[in-house]
């Protein structure tokens, strides 16, 4: 897949913006705060229906406006698809595909993107929510209908938690809280699908993760991935990932049993304590958890390897071809060796978009097409070069005319 053209209206610092991209590497260079990451964020939103920088959509809408628009022309082989999303400050977003109204949940079917960003370090060193977000965004890319499943789960979770808080405030217990059973059924059905999909994802990432880590770090530290699940005992969200030795049965059966076991605690706290929203993805190198044990360099190697493994998974599964790789201000965070390794590993993809404040940070293999960003203004070096060539040619013609005259 190739992003041929990107158009923004009232997105972040852009009243309007147009960016033409090319096959192969594309470099966006500009000082910090000029808007280059905003361009990357817009493309990522089309693929994941979310931002890698904020948890809500409102910050992406330019100050003083109610909605932002992201439009892109995507090339899938010989086929071109026009996609558009209207990001509303309040209310649901809207989508158009080839000019016709569509569902926002369908956008990831057309836009396939893998993002590398400084925030990736939080996936391996931050709170469990960062790892859940990483997994769920990749799930949506891998199986676009999971966007609806995850969205429905979040709505059910919100309603169930509101009921628990209300029951706590009113002192309602036991049989008097029959409504909770209805929400339990919905939570179990949707949550079990998410849990099972996440488990398959971790298993499928294992081999490409190990290969990518060896290529990035130059050492075999045997990285592993495994989910700590609240339905199996403990509370991974609060650092307790101990699983019950007796936890056997289907995901739905374990989920229901765990909800019953935690019912009193949930009513006391006014929280839903069981489900995929409480789970954690445990990452290890050398047999030890990355969080708390890995060095800074090892942590970066795991973060980069997760993204490379994601790209390889999508590359092999998608009929649309390679995902677009976006490397957003990553090279400034890496030492010279990791810069070269990452550049060589990504340069072979159909399209790569790199942002950087300092052009010298980017290895030469990625310097095919350079665009400069300054205060929201986009200037294409090719356009400048073409204009300069035209002026030179015109000057030569005038000088030749003077000679002839």
């Amino acid at each position: 897949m190739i992003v041929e053209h990107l158009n923004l209206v009232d997105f972040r610092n852009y009243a309007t913006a147009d960016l033409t991209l090319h096959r192969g590497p594309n470099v966006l260079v500009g000082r910090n705060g000029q808007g280059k990451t905003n361009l990357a964020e817009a493309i990522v939103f089309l693929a994941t229906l979310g931002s890698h920088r904020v948890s809500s959509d409102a910050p992406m809408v330019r100050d003083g406006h109610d909605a932002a628009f992201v439009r892109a022309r995507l090339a899938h082989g010989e086929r071109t698809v026009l996609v558009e999303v209207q990001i509303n400050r309040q209310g649901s977003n809207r989508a158009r595909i080839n000019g016709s109204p569509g569902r926002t949940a369908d956008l990831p079917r057309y836009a396939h993107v893998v993002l590398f960003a400084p925030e990736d370090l939080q996936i391996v060193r931050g709170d469990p929510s960062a790892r859940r977000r990483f997994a769920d965004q990749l799930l949506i890319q891998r199986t676009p209908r999971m966007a609806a499943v995850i969205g429905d789960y979040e709505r059910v979770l919100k309603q169930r938690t509101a009921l628990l808080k209300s029951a706590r405030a009113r002192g309602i217990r036991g049989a008097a809280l029959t409504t909770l059973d209805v929400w339990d059924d919905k939570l179990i059905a949707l949550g079990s699908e998410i849990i099972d999909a996440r488990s398959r994802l971790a298993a499928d990432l294992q081999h490409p993760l190990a290969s990518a880590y060896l290529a990035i770090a130059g050492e075999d530290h045997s990285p592993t991935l495994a989910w700590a699940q609240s339905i199996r005992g403990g509370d991974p969200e609060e650092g307790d990932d101990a699983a019950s030795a007796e936890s056997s049965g289907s995901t739905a059966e374990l989920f229901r049993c765990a909800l019953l076991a935690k019912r009193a605690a949930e009513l006391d706290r006014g929280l839903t304590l069981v489900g995929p929203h409480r789970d954690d993805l445990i990452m290890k190198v050398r047999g030890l958890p990355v969080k708390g044990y890995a060095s800074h360099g090892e942590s970066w190697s795991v973060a980069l390897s997760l993204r490379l493994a994601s790209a390889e998974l999508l590359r092999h599964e998608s009929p649309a071809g390679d995902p677009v790789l976006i490397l957003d201000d990553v090279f400034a965070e890496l030492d010279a060796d990791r810069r070269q390794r990452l550049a060589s590993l990504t340069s072979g993809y159909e399209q790569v978009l790199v942002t950087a404040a300092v052009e010298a940070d980017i290895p030469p293999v990625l310097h095919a097409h350079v665009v400069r960003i300054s205060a929201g203004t986009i200037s294409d070096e090719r356009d400048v070069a073409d204009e300069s060539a035209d002026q030179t040619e015109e000057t030569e013609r005038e000088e030749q005319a003077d000679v002839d005259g």
Side-chain angles (χ1 to χ4, degrees):
M1 189 205 87
I2 302 296
V3 180
E4 294 183 335
H5 188 82
L6 178 69
N7 170 259
L8 305 180
V9 176
D10 295 327
F11 185 91
R12 291 285 190 179
N13 67 321
Y14 291 101
T16 61
D18 284 283
L19 174 66
T20 298
L21 296 170
H22 301 269
R23 189 175 295 273
N26 297 261
V27 176
L28 307 185
V29 178
R31 298 191 313 276
N32 292 332
Q34 303 304 300
K36 57 188 185 298
T37 292
N38 297 342
L39 297 168
E41 181 182 34
I43 297 173
V44 169
F45 190 92
L46 292 172
T48 66
L49 307 180
S51 166
H52 66 292
R53 304 158 79 191
V54 291
S55 58
S56 64
D57 294 347
M60 290 180 281
V61 180
R62 196 162 69 101
D63 288 345
H65 295 266
D66 295 326
F69 296 85
V70 178
R71 304 179 179 95
R73 185 174 71 245
L74 311 177
H76 291 256
E78 299 299 319
R79 178 187 174 207
T80 299
V81 181
L82 302 176
V83 295
E84 174 185 320
V85 62
Q86 176 181 326
I87 304 172
N88 294 315
R89 190 177 292 277
Q90 295 182 334
S92 300
N93 298 330
R94 297 180 179 179
R96 298 180 72 86
I97 299 168
N98 286 331
S100 300
R103 300 185 308 160
T104 54
D106 288 336
L107 292 174
R109 297 180 186 275
Y110 304 96
H112 300 192
V113 176
V114 172
L115 171 77
F116 299 71
E119 291 83 357
D120 289 350
L121 201 58
Q122 290 304 306
I123 297 174
V124 298
R125 304 180 85 172
D127 295 333
S129 60
R131 290 179 283 282
R132 292 194 294 266
R133 189 180 308 116
F134 157 77
D136 290 348
Q137 288 187 339
L138 183 53
L139 280 183
I140 290 170
Q141 293 243 67
R142 193 184 193 191
T143 310
R145 72 173 187 82
M146 288 302 297
V149 175
I150 293 169
D152 288 344
Y153 178 84
E154 290 173 349
R155 282 187 285 274
V156 169
L157 174 64
K158 184 177 180 180
Q159 292 291 334
R160 186 181 185 277
T161 300
L163 181 60
L164 287 169
K165 290 180 178 178
S166 175
R168 181 183 62 173
R170 296 160 60 191
I172 300 175
R173 294 277 170 159
L177 198 58
T178 56
T179 312
L180 195 61
D181 293 335
V182 176
W183 290 112
D184 283 359
D185 291 341
K186 295 179 179 179
L187 194 78
I188 291 166
L190 294 164
S192 295
E193 188 169 357
I194 295 170
I195 291 169
D196 288 341
R198 284 178 177 174
S199 295
R200 290 192 297 270
L201 178 66
D204 292 343
L205 280 174
Q206 187 58 63
H207 178 68
L209 174 69
S211 298
Y213 186 91
L214 180 60
I216 286 289
E219 297 178 276
D220 184 7
H221 288 162
S222 302
T224 61
L225 301 173
W227 282 98
Q229 298 169 343
S230 56
I231 64 171
R232 298 181 182 277
D235 189 349
E237 174 67 21
E238 296 184 356
D240 177 12
D241 57 4
S244 169
E246 301 177 359
S247 58
S248 61
S250 71
T251 301
E253 290 169 345
L254 291 172
F255 205 150
R256 191 172 298 279
C257 289
L259 283 174
L260 290 172
K262 291 284 183 74
R263 177 65 60 90
E266 288 187 331
L267 288 168
D268 286 340
R269 296 179 61 179
L271 286 174
T272 298
L273 297 174
V274 178
H277 65 288
R278 306 290 293 187
D279 295 348
D280 194 5
L281 181 61
I282 307 300
M283 307 174 185
K284 294 182 178 181
V285 290
R286 295 178 285 106
L288 297 171
V290 174
K291 185 178 179 180
Y293 289 92
S295 67
H296 184 74
E298 287 173 336
S299 296
W300 258 116
S301 292
V302 172
L304 294 172
S305 300
L306 279 171
R307 293 302 190 187
L308 283 168
S310 302
E312 283 299 308
L313 198 62
L314 294 175
R315 183 183 225 179
H316 288 295
E317 293 183 349
S318 173
D322 291 359
V324 175
L325 299 192
I326 300 179
L327 287 72
D328 181 27
D329 274 336
V330 170
F331 287 102
E333 305 287 338
L334 305 178
D335 57 40
D337 185 50
R338 284 186 176 85
R339 285 180 187 176
Q340 294 297 334
R341 289 174 181 268
L342 180 60
S344 64
L345 289 167
T346 57
S347 61
Y349 276 75
E350 290 180 328
Q351 188 176 49
V352 184
L353 179 62
V354 185
T355 74
V358 179
E359 190 172 351
D361 288 345
I362 304 170
V365 69
L366 295 175
H367 278 250
H369 171 222
V370 179
V371 174
R372 305 204 177 274
I373 313 295
S374 179
T377 299
I378 300 170
S379 59
D380 191 319
E381 275 199 351
R382 292 192 178 190
D383 293 340
V384 172
D386 291 344
E387 182 179 340
S388 176
D390 290 342
Q391 290 176 345
T392 300
E393 186 177 344
E394 179 63 25
T395 300
E396 290 175 350
R397 281 200 298 266
E398 290 175 356
E399 291 175 348
Q400 185 60 46
D402 289 341
V403 171
D404 294 341

